[in-house]
Amino acid sequence: MPARTRLDIRTRRPFAGGHVFGDAGAYEILEGRAYFSYERDDPSLSAVPDIRLAERDADGLVQVATDVWFLKPVDQAKGNGALLFELVNRGNKRCLQFFNDAPHTNAPSSVADAGNGFLLRNGYTIVCAGWQGDVLRGDDRLVLDLPVARNDHGPVSETIRVEFVVDEPNVFSLPLSGKYSTRSYPAASLDKAGARLIRRRYPWEAAEEVPASGWEFARIERDPKERKPGDSGGGEAGILPSDSHLLLADGFRPGWIYELTYKAKDPLVLGLGYCAIRDLIAHLRYGTDADNPLRQDGKPLRFFYGWGRSQSGRSLREFLYRGFNGTGDGRPVFDGVLSHIAGGGRLPINRFSNLVVAASRQFEDALNPADRFPFSYARSRDHLTGREDAILRHPETDPLVIHTQTGSEYWNRRGSLVHTDTQGNDLEQPDRVRVYHWASSQHWSDPLLSRCSRGICTNFANTVATSALFRMVLTAMHRWVADGVPPPPSRVPRRGDGTLVPFSDWKAQFPAIPGVAIPRGPNALPLVDYGPAFENGGAIAEPASIIDGAGYAVLVPAVDEDGNDIAGIRMPMVQAPLGTFTGWNLRTRGFGTGALHDFSGSYIPLPERAGERAATGDPRRAILERYPSLQDYVAAIGAACDRLIADGLMLTEDKDAEIARARRWGRQRHDILSL
């Protein structure tokens, strides 16, 4: 029986006080809940792990509910006929932030919250909904309510492993999920007899045991008026037993990796989150019920796009791989999908998966199972296992795809495997796929960045501005779907032309910049045995094990004499550089010195004058040797914009912003001292 879907729109109000956004006119916000009822033997749920164990109501149905948020033209006929659905990242709305260069907020309401207005000026209807069942309420996040998996005789309980890394002192207690905004899998018992806590300095080092006397399942209850450590005076704190928290008597050491193995209970049926996405969009696209607000308001929408970034970008890849882009009767859900900074990963929805955990990195969560074959949209063969597979394997309903990634994905997220086979050979993508490398940029690029910063890294964070590319790829997707005009060909580094290389070749290319340490290599990808039940949706066997000597080719972009990526879409800041911009950055002393930091990139300023270059021995040409005056630099940025516009890789409207940013030597994004 098909899912029963019901929408309950609870509030409807003008957006930005009725401000008019170009030809699309005024916009309005609709908020409510969507409800779904399923039978456990529904064939459309066959890809959902543990569906047979999902809790049922008195009528024998499985119930799911999610928050839904609409931002739409008041007069839908004035829109462009397209819906952009954002798979929210950990419950947070991000589309206005990245497409519109707007400040981040989960409750946009003002003209300022619309940023430059791009999505609204162009008439898109925006829909966001919760899909991640382990996100908790708070900060206006969108959440999804899912059933727990239970056996007939009691709770489902298995031994699982969780990891904790903190980057600040005086942390004594954490949720077992690692995040205060994320549901933890509760311990089946507060008895520590079957649990174990270990810690290590680096993932490749031997672990040391934390004695049972040094930790417990508990949390700290604090007086909100309590003074900070080191202050004299009052304040109270208590320790309470908790099946969802870990407490260390001496606190977590910053920069150390802690691993807790314990018996957990009550897994959520996480795969129903994908069903909720599928059935919500199908209801909005095909439903004629009176509760469908997009059918009530004039001209129906014709084009449906899904967008996700990082975690939710991986989720979209998993959504496609498991066949959720089909309604079950041959109709597609999304016409086009835009997956950003997912790297080569997907998002496992196995029993006891923690969806908020970031994918495997060199330092943290090394055995996170996000990066498993198949990595590419194209069909290929896994040379280690003999399997053949592809992410796009449902030709009747597979959408058009634009996959975008930064330099960070090549270094930290095995991004080369998106467009190579498992041995590192170039792999041509299907005609319905485009892959774009945003050269020399990093995973997270704040559109409103106002200063350079290092955090716990050795170098400044990468500051390459990429927000213009969000607008370009969405415009390209809309033209592809609505008008049949294909986007520009994929822009990626390739083995065949020498722009995608092993680390040893990159190391020989990268300039010897004084005082700059380089990585020990990209985040490698060994073959991991997660246990026989894992591929069928079960929990990871404890412990998962690396198969000695078996691994996949992880390659990185070749670089020019400045250390900047040669291939891909080179933004104006990269074409006319004031520094070296990389997809990697290193942890600093005390925080895992020398290991790759998270998904961070680097900005390493150029010497400003020839004298500085000579004094330091920097091999890179100085800024004033490249651009004798500010006017020369601004002209170089303008010429770079013109090249991108001519190639269909930048919208004309974004040139002015790039020029404005270049004035005063782009000081918001550059550490310029004396020019």
Side-chain angles (χ1 to χ4, degrees), residues 147-220:
V148 167
R150 294 190 186 278
N151 292 310
D152 291 338
H153 56 274
V156 172
S157 183
E158 293 186 23
T159 298
I160 66 172
R161 182 185 67 89
V162 293
E163 183 176 298
F164 309 87
V165 178
V166 303
D167 293 332
E168 60 278 333
N170 300 314
V171 176
F172 291 87
S173 178
L174 286 172
L176 294 179
S177 66
K179 299 286 186 181
Y180 290 99
S181 61
T182 306
R183 177 187 185 270
S184 299
Y185 292 115
S189 169
L190 299 184
D191 185 350
K192 295 181 287 184
R196 183 186 185 214
L197 182 65
I198 60 175
R199 67 185 176 201
R200 50 170 59 93
R201 199 67 185 86
Y202 292 94
W204 48 84
E205 289 187 343
E208 60 183 55
E209 192 95 15
V210 179
S213 60
W215 67 274
E216 56 188 305
F217 290 112
R219 64 181 177 86
I220 297 177

Side-chain angles (χ1 to χ4, degrees), residues 465-481:
T466 56
S467 63
L469 295 180
F470 287 102
R471 296 183 280 277
M472 180 276 291
V473 295
L474 180 58
T475 301
M477 175 62 80
H478 186 49
R479 293 187 66 203
W480 201 4
V481 172

Side-chain angles (χ1 to χ4, degrees), residues 3-21:
R4 302 172 188 168
T5 303
R6 179 173 63 86
L7 264 172
D8 179 15
I9 302 301
R10 298 174 178 177
T11 64
R12 188 169 195 155
R13 63 184 185 277
F15 175 70
H19 181 84
V20 173
F21 293 92

Side-chain angles (χ1 to χ4, degrees), residues 73 76-84 122-125 299-305 335 478 482:
Q76 195 166 289
K78 291 183 177 180
N80 66 356
L83 180 147
L84 178 65
N122 284 279
Y124 287 96
T125 291
K299 187 171 78 173
L301 300 182
R302 295 181 293 155
F303 315 113
F304 287 73
Y305 311 134
D335 299 298
H478 186 49

Side-chain angles (χ1 to χ4, degrees), residues 319-390:
F319 182 87
L320 298 180
Y321 179 68
R322 290 179 179 261
F324 286 110
N325 200 54
T327 61
D329 57 6
R331 294 181 297 178
V333 175
F334 295 118
D335 299 298
V337 159
L338 302 105
S339 175
H340 182 54
I341 55 176
R346 294 182 277 124
L347 192 70
I349 50 174
N350 290 53
R351 180 182 297 175
F352 288 109
S353 289
N354 182 334
L355 300 187
V356 78
V357 170
S360 170
R361 290 147 287 168
Q362 188 179 77
F363 188 76
E364 308 101 317
D365 297 300
L367 294 181
N368 183 303
D371 300 336
R372 294 172 294 117
F373 183 81
F375 310 102
S376 180
Y377 300 95
R379 189 168 184 83
S380 64
R381 180 178 179 274
D382 184 337
H383 74 284
L384 298 176
T385 66
R387 282 183 58 200
E388 291 190 8
D389 210 345

Side-chain angles (χ1 to χ4, degrees), residues 488-572:
S490 294
R491 290 284 188 102
V492 294
R494 298 176 60 86
R495 289 300 301 275
D497 62 13
T499 56
L500 185 68
V501 296
F503 173 70
S504 57
D505 291 2
W506 176 90
K507 187 176 180 180
Q509 297 169 349
F510 193 76
I513 305 171
V516 173
I518 64 172
R520 62 198 299 266
N523 187 17
L525 182 57
L527 182 62
V528 179
D529 179 8
Y530 291 106
F534 182 76
E535 291 300 329
N536 294 320
I540 295 174
E542 180 53 42
S545 58
I546 295 174
I547 299 175
D548 289 341
Y552 299 99
V554 177
L555 307 176
V556 296
V559 294
D560 61 19
E561 62 185 6
D562 293 321
N564 290 320
D565 297 346
I566 295 171
I569 303 175
R570 289 163 56 98
M571 290 301 290

